[in-house]
Amino acid sequence: MSIADLPHLTDAAACPRIVLKIGSSLLVDGEGQPRRAWLDSIAGEIAALRRGGQDVVVVSSGAIALGAARLGLEKGGRGSLADAQAAASVGQIALASLWSDKLGAQGLTAAQLLLTLDDLEDRRRYLNASSTLARLLESGAVPVVNENDSVATQEIRFGDNDRLAARVAQAARADAVLLLSDVDGLYDRNPREAGARLVPVVEGVDDTVRAMADGGSSSGLGSGGMVSKLQAAEIAGRAGIALAILNGTHPAPIARALDGGTGTLFLPPRRDRGRKAWLGGRLSLKGALTVDAGCATALAQGGSLLAAGVTGVEGTFERGDAVAVRDPQGRAIAHGLVEYGAAECTALKGRRSGEHAALLGYAPRAAVVHRDHMVLL
């Protein structure tokens, strides 16, 4: 049984494992204090999902907001990187305590897992995180995941927990991601405009869908808006994971949204597995290779990327780094692990295989990016 509509998200047969993302604006009030009654409600819903046979992983924001209130920092702790890191250091303790208390009251054991972008972009560390999540769920715990803002810098941050939730869903081998927001879902235009309509189901995120997510549809307190939610839907979709945007501002928000069919469900267009799912979800790329039209067509048909089709090289990268592959119009069409460094790619671009040994001074490899290490977007 597969996920086809919102009610299936609470059906253990269709959706055995869920990642539930909760933003700062839902968990913390305007004074930086936890919304304890709402937390009691959501903890009860998590317990109900567990009783129904579903595993739950929570991706929770709120550490910076909680820590800033305790330290008396201006701008909610986001005035500077140092403020954010200090606030996160204090707030993470408070956040973990909240979840431990609220889930404990429901007879559940909370576990804390702090991640940075590098933890899920590096293949070995990604597999370690995946293994930890699997063991925690097997043991009956509820993992509570947050970005490790106490050490993360601008260069190694997800920047929002929507995309973090999608990447965690990949690592946890989840079936669906539930993003609790301050709107009912994706609207066909700014929801403040007259006549705006909720989009109930999206089958693949394209330019038409992206055009619906303007700045006016973003969440308030947190760092993620509707644009980041669509990016999360794309990341999840590449791994065959459904994603739903639900209004979390009400008590028992999951039951309310699913019982009333209110929300937007993004159905995955395909299912990549293992390394290809990880590649498709990567956010940090070291460079880009531009290819000609013939090469782009060959890639779409399952071919490897050969040097003869490369027309441009950008960035500083080494063998094994992840790069984007772009068509002649500059559109990203694939991500892959490159077999040569940037300097070698520059020397080889546009050259036929028979010329490679003389150019490199050693026996060349079969491809610049092999199809087994590439995922089409």
Side-chain angles (χ1 to χ4, degrees):
M1 182 178 181
S2 60
I3 297 169
D5 54 34
L6 286 172
H8 283 159
L9 296 174
T10 53
D11 185 331
C15 186
R17 184 167 294 174
I18 289 176
V19 170
L20 175 64
K21 181 263 177 178
I22 298 169
S24 297
S25 61
L26 299 176
L27 193 141
V28 182
D29 65 22
E31 303 299 320
Q33 299 304 311
R35 299 176 60 209
R36 295 183 182 276
W38 186 88
L39 277 163
D40 287 333
S41 173
I42 198 69
E45 290 206 291
I46 292 170
L49 294 172
R50 287 288 306 275
R51 288 193 297 272
Q54 293 176 282
D55 291 331
V56 181
V57 177
V58 176
V59 174
S60 175
S61 303
I64 292 177
L66 290 169
R70 295 194 176 198
L71 293 175
L73 298 175
E74 297 179 353
K75 300 181 181 180
R78 298 182 184 273
S80 69
L81 176 60
D83 281 359
Q85 291 175 326
S89 299
V90 172
Q92 199 57 247
I93 296 173
L95 184 64
S97 178
L98 275 172
W99 280 113
S100 181
D101 290 346
K102 299 304 182 183
L103 291 174
Q106 299 289 335
L108 299 173
T109 299
Q112 183 186 61
L113 189 62
L114 299 178
L115 298 171
T116 64
L117 178 64
D118 281 355
D119 292 324
L120 296 182
E121 298 289 271
D122 178 87
R123 180 65 176 166
R124 180 175 295 179
R125 287 153 71 180
Y126 170 90
L127 292 174
N128 286 338
S130 179
S131 177
T132 299
L133 286 165
R135 189 66 184 96
L136 287 169
L137 292 168
E138 182 183 285
S139 300
V142 177
V144 179
V145 183
N146 195 7
E147 185 160 13
N148 194 357
D149 288 308
S150 62
V151 298
T153 64
Q154 192 62 37
E155 292 76 19
I156 58 167
R157 295 191 70 240
F158 282 92
D160 61 79
N161 274 1
D162 297 320
R163 294 184 298 173
L164 173 60
R167 293 291 269 141
V168 167
Q170 289 182 337
R173 298 183 178 88
D175 304 280
V177 179
L178 275 60
L179 301 180
L180 297 188
S181 180
D182 57 0
V183 295
D184 287 336
L186 175 68
Y187 283 81
D188 61 355
R189 68 197 78 173
N190 190 316
R192 297 182 180 88
E193 293 182 14
R197 293 182 298 175
L198 182 68
V199 180
V201 177
V202 175
E203 297 189 27
V205 177
D206 56 19
D207 289 341
T208 300
V209 173
R210 294 186 192 99
M212 301 176 188
D214 70 6
S217 63
S218 62
S219 302
L221 182 61
S223 56
M226 191 56 68
V227 171
S228 75
K229 290 172 176 53
L230 295 188
Q231 292 171 341
E234 291 187 81
I235 293 168
R238 289 175 195 144
I241 300 169
L243 181 141
I245 302 172
L246 309 176
N247 193 323
T249 60
H250 309 277
I254 299 173
R256 181 184 182 277
L258 300 190
D259 290 348
T262 303
T264 299
L265 176 64
F266 294 82
L267 297 175
R270 69 176 191 239
R271 186 171 184 84
D272 291 325
R273 296 183 183 275
R275 180 184 288 270
K276 291 208 170 188
W278 171 74
L279 271 173
R282 283 183 63 98
L283 303 175
S284 177
L285 301 170
K286 298 294 186 180
L289 301 173
T290 301
V291 301
D292 60 31
C295 182
T297 299
L299 297 182
Q301 296 171 347
S304 295
L305 173 52
L306 304 181
V310 177
T311 60
V313 180
E314 297 177 32
T316 302
F317 53 85
E318 302 295 335
R319 184 188 182 206
D321 285 341
V323 299
V325 180
R326 298 175 180 160
D327 67 12
Q329 289 72 46
R331 295 173 298 203
I333 58 175
H335 290 171
L337 300 181
V338 71
E339 293 286 349
Y340 294 102
E344 293 167 308
C345 286
T346 299
L348 295 176
K349 71 177 182 179
R351 299 300 191 96
R352 299 292 177 183
S353 298
E355 305 173 77
H356 292 184
L359 289 166
L360 296 172
Y362 61 83
R365 300 182 179 90
V368 174
V369 180
H370 194 277
R371 64 184 181 183
D372 289 347
H373 305 297
M374 178 167 52
V375 59
L376 299 178
L377 304 180

